[in-house]
Amino acid sequence: MKKCSATLLVASCLMILAASCQTAVGQLVSIGNNRISSTKAVEACGIALVERLNSNSGEVLMGFYDTNRVIKKIREKFNALLVAESIRDKMSEDELKTFFAMFEKELPSIHAQMEEQFDQMFSGMAFHFSGVKRMDGEQWAVVRCEQNDGSVLYWMFRCERTVSGKVEAVEFFNPVLGTSLEDASVDLAVQSAGSVFLAEFGSKERSTKMRMRTLMAEALINGRFGQVIRIYERYFAEDPIVPSIAMTYCQALVSSLSSNVEVDGEADAEVMAKIRDITQRIQKECPNFVGVNLFLIDYYFLKEDFEQTRQVIQKSREVLGEDAHLDFLDAITYITEGNLERGADLLKKAREKNLSSILFYSVYLAQLQENPDLFDEEYDDVYEDAVAEHGGVF
């Protein structure tokens, strides 16, 4: 039997986690009302969490990753995979024991590597508390993550009152891919190991598809959008929709346009048509998966369909609440259309909520300079705030 490298599993877990963090709501499990806390208590929990994220993001995120629980989940899912693929009887108990022993030995080091990787990935990111969202009987602190390039990610943290009576964040969730930190790593570990065992005992086609999922994540992280698109269209286009796979493909399509990267010589119109088709399939086959709305914002804006852009922004509020960055995106649509007064009102609304990204300040300062009568503050005051927040960038 071929060996499944633990190092490969480490890399695979890191790749999918990085991809999930770069893109962020699926089905949520209800908890009892005795765990529900006041909105103010959850707000306080979220604000404290943001302070910790800005201090040490890797340590905080890995606090939501329980190694023993991950090992248990991997065992359960991997055994279920072997049974589903009808190859469980072809493998000896010794082979399985050897595999799991190797993996359990390496998993603690995966934890340490992931924490270090997160610290590197998010070192230049600013975390802000966005608000509280209550869904299906659960309360989530929404955190906005602002990157140096002006782009924004969203994370959600489920909060509940523990037995000690304290309100704490107990689960990390990425709204775009609809997955938790643990489940993303479990899924990729099972896919990576499954591809090895299937190649040895089962379907070569299924083994190849599992390998391709890992390769897609790696290609996306490294900006090889054309490769992501080719893999999806060759191996997954005819399959039933799996949100995480389809959203990786969707992100590659949108990123290829946003980055002005030529994708196999196709015109922008053809790529836009692909985005339309895949998002429609996601909405049809997975109606409860709402993360697709965040990608549709880019899609409709690139189409210059600003009314549809605003409708999708409003749908995104169903997940993210009254977030300041959504106000900013709303403002951009009106400014682009020429409705400067409405755009200015939304920019001021976002500033009142303490939005402070580089991109926001750039637009705000430009509009303030060109249309001072629409604002209630002086250019120099806002410029000083921008410099204080971002230093030499301004």
Side-chain angles (χ1 to χ4, degrees):
M1 183 185 73
K2 297 178 182 178
K3 291 185 178 180
C4 179
S5 167
T7 303
L8 173 61
L9 295 182
V10 172
S12 298
C13 290
L14 291 175
M15 284 186 288
I16 192 62
L17 288 168
S20 70
C21 290
Q22 291 177 340
T23 59
V25 172
Q27 298 180 355
L28 304 179
V29 182
S30 179
I31 59 175
N33 288 332
N34 62 314
R35 298 282 184 91
I36 296 299
S37 305
S38 69
T39 299
K40 288 186 178 180
V42 178
E43 286 178 353
C45 177
I47 292 169
L49 179 66
V50 162
E51 291 180 358
R52 292 170 56 214
L53 282 167
N54 281 315
S55 175
N56 192 334
S57 58
E59 180 181 353
V60 173
L61 289 172
M62 292 314 300
F64 298 96
Y65 187 95
D66 185 286
T67 301
N68 291 328
R69 189 164 55 228
V70 167
I71 291 173
K72 181 180 178 181
K73 287 182 178 180
I74 289 174
R75 279 184 173 275
E76 293 172 348
K77 291 195 71 171
F78 188 67
N79 277 309
L81 172 67
L82 297 181
V83 172
E85 296 292 340
S86 301
I87 62 174
R88 178 63 181 82
D89 295 338
K90 300 178 183 179
M91 304 174 61
S92 70
E93 289 297 326
D94 286 342
E95 287 175 323
L96 283 176
K97 286 180 180 179
T98 299
F99 165 70
F100 282 118
M102 174 204 71
F103 192 74
E104 290 178 18
K105 181 181 179 181
E106 294 291 337
L107 202 54
S109 67
I110 294 177
H111 189 289
Q113 290 181 48
M114 288 170 64
E115 181 173 330
E116 181 180 357
Q117 184 79 0
F118 280 140
D119 280 336
Q120 295 174 1
M121 287 169 59
F122 307 127
S123 60
M125 188 176 290
F127 299 90
H128 300 270
F129 175 68
S130 178
V132 175
K133 186 65 181 175
R134 182 165 177 169
M135 300 180 67
D136 294 350
E138 295 181 326
Q139 290 168 301
W140 297 77
V142 182
V143 174
R144 183 178 66 252
C145 322
E146 298 174 2
Q147 300 186 95
N148 289 332
D149 62 1
S151 59
V152 169
L153 318 175
Y154 289 98
W155 292 342
M156 299 180 73
F157 297 84
R158 181 166 63 84
C159 301
E160 65 178 43
R161 190 176 299 280
T162 63
V163 292
S164 66
K166 183 179 180 181
V167 176
E168 296 181 353
V170 296
E171 179 184 356
F172 164 91
F173 193 78
N174 186 303
V176 170
L177 290 186
T179 188
S180 69
L181 188 62
E182 287 185 2
D183 288 345
S185 63
V186 168
D187 183 57
L188 253 293
V190 171
Q191 293 292 325
S192 298
S195 67
V196 175
F197 283 89
L198 280 172
E200 184 79 9
F201 300 105
S203 166
K204 296 295 192 295
E205 179 183 356
R206 292 276 293 131
S207 174
T208 299
K209 282 191 173 184
M210 288 183 176
R211 291 200 306 274
M212 289 301 109
R213 287 188 63 176
T214 302
L215 185 56
M216 281 180 68
E218 179 186 12
L220 183 67
I221 291 171
N222 290 295
R224 301 195 300 270
F225 306 128
Q227 185 179 15
V228 174
I229 294 166
R230 288 191 298 274
I231 290 173
Y232 183 87
E233 293 175 354
R234 179 176 178 181
Y235 294 100
F236 301 104
E238 303 301 320
D239 294 349
I241 289 291
V242 175
S244 60
I245 302 176
M247 292 302 288
T248 300
Y249 172 61
C250 189
Q251 185 186 7
L253 290 169
V254 172
S255 297
S256 71
L257 290 171
S258 303
S259 304
N260 295 317
V261 176
E262 184 178 5
V263 182
D264 293 344
E266 291 182 304
D268 284 355
E270 293 182 67
V271 178
M272 293 291 283
K274 289 183 177 183
I275 297 173
R276 178 200 63 214
D277 292 344
I278 188 63
T279 52
Q280 286 178 351
R281 279 195 65 198
I282 294 171
Q283 290 173 317
K284 180 180 180 180
E285 297 184 31
C286 307
N288 293 326
F289 180 74
V290 295
V292 68
N293 290 322
L294 294 171
F295 279 102
L296 285 173
I297 293 174
D298 284 341
Y299 169 69
Y300 286 119
F301 189 84
L302 289 168
K303 281 189 67 177
E304 299 184 2
D305 187 339
F306 302 118
E307 183 58 38
Q308 281 290 334
T309 304
R310 288 191 283 270
Q311 289 184 23
V312 176
I313 290 172
Q314 187 58 37
K315 288 182 179 178
S316 297
R317 294 187 191 277
E318 296 175 7
V319 180
L320 303 173
E322 294 300 314
D323 179 70
H325 185 69
L326 295 181
D327 296 329
F328 172 54
L329 295 178
D330 239 346
I332 293 295
T333 67
Y334 284 106
I335 292 169
T336 306
E337 283 184 320
N339 189 340
L340 302 182
E341 185 173 358
R342 178 58 177 154
D345 288 342
L346 286 163
L347 287 177
K348 288 185 286 186
K349 184 178 180 181
R351 181 157 162 78
E352 288 172 1
K353 295 178 182 178
N354 297 316
L355 186 61
S356 56
S357 66
I358 293 174
L359 185 59
F360 169 73
Y361 269 125
S362 299
V363 173
Y364 194 98
L365 286 167
Q367 291 299 305
L368 176 57
Q369 188 171 41
E370 294 176 11
N371 308 287
D373 294 342
L374 298 178
F375 294 84
D376 306 320
E377 51 189 338
E378 296 297 323
Y379 180 92
D380 288 347
D381 293 336
V382 179
Y383 180 79
E384 288 177 9
D385 289 345
V387 171
E389 185 75 26
H390 299 289
V393 175
F394 290 92

